[in-house]
Amino acid sequence: QVTEEVRPELEDLFQRHAIPQAEAERMLREALVRLSYQWGRIRNRSWWLVDSIENAARAMSNLSPEESEDA
C-alpha cells in the first residue's frame, strides 16, 4: 500500500536519475526492508520511502562509473 501511494513519485525519481529497472527494484526492496524495521517509529511512511530512495539515488549518481560497478 505504501508503494502504491508514491508510485508516480518513485517512477519519476528513477527516471530523473536514469536508474535502470533492476537497480530501481533493488533500491526499493532495500528501502522497504529498512522501513519494516522502523515501521513503528516512522509517522509518514510514504514520505520516508521517497526520501530514502532519493538519497540512495543521489549517492549512486555521485559514484564514478568504476565505483558503481564495484557496488
Side-chain angles (χ1 to χ4, degrees):
Q1 183 182 0
V2 173
T3 55
E4 287 306 310
E5 292 174 10
V6 295
R7 184 183 198 101
E9 290 93 335
L10 291 175
E11 289 175 353
D12 179 58
L13 189 155
F14 292 134
Q15 187 173 26
R16 224 177 33 244
H17 289 279
I19 296 174
Q21 183 175 349
E23 184 64 22
E25 290 171 1
R26 184 193 64 76
M27 290 170 71
L28 181 58
R29 260 193 324 272
E30 289 178 3
L32 288 171
V33 167
R34 288 194 315 272
L35 176 60
S36 71
Y37 283 111
Q38 302 176 50
W39 191 263
R41 294 184 286 174
I42 297 172
R43 218 183 293 197
N44 188 334
R45 296 173 185 113
S46 299
W47 179 86
W48 183 95
L49 183 62
V50 172
D51 189 56
S52 178
I53 292 177
E54 177 76 40
N55 290 336
R58 284 185 188 151
M60 190 175 126
S61 65
N62 287 335
L63 294 177
S64 69
E66 297 81 25
E67 289 173 315
S68 62
E69 288 175 7
D70 293 340

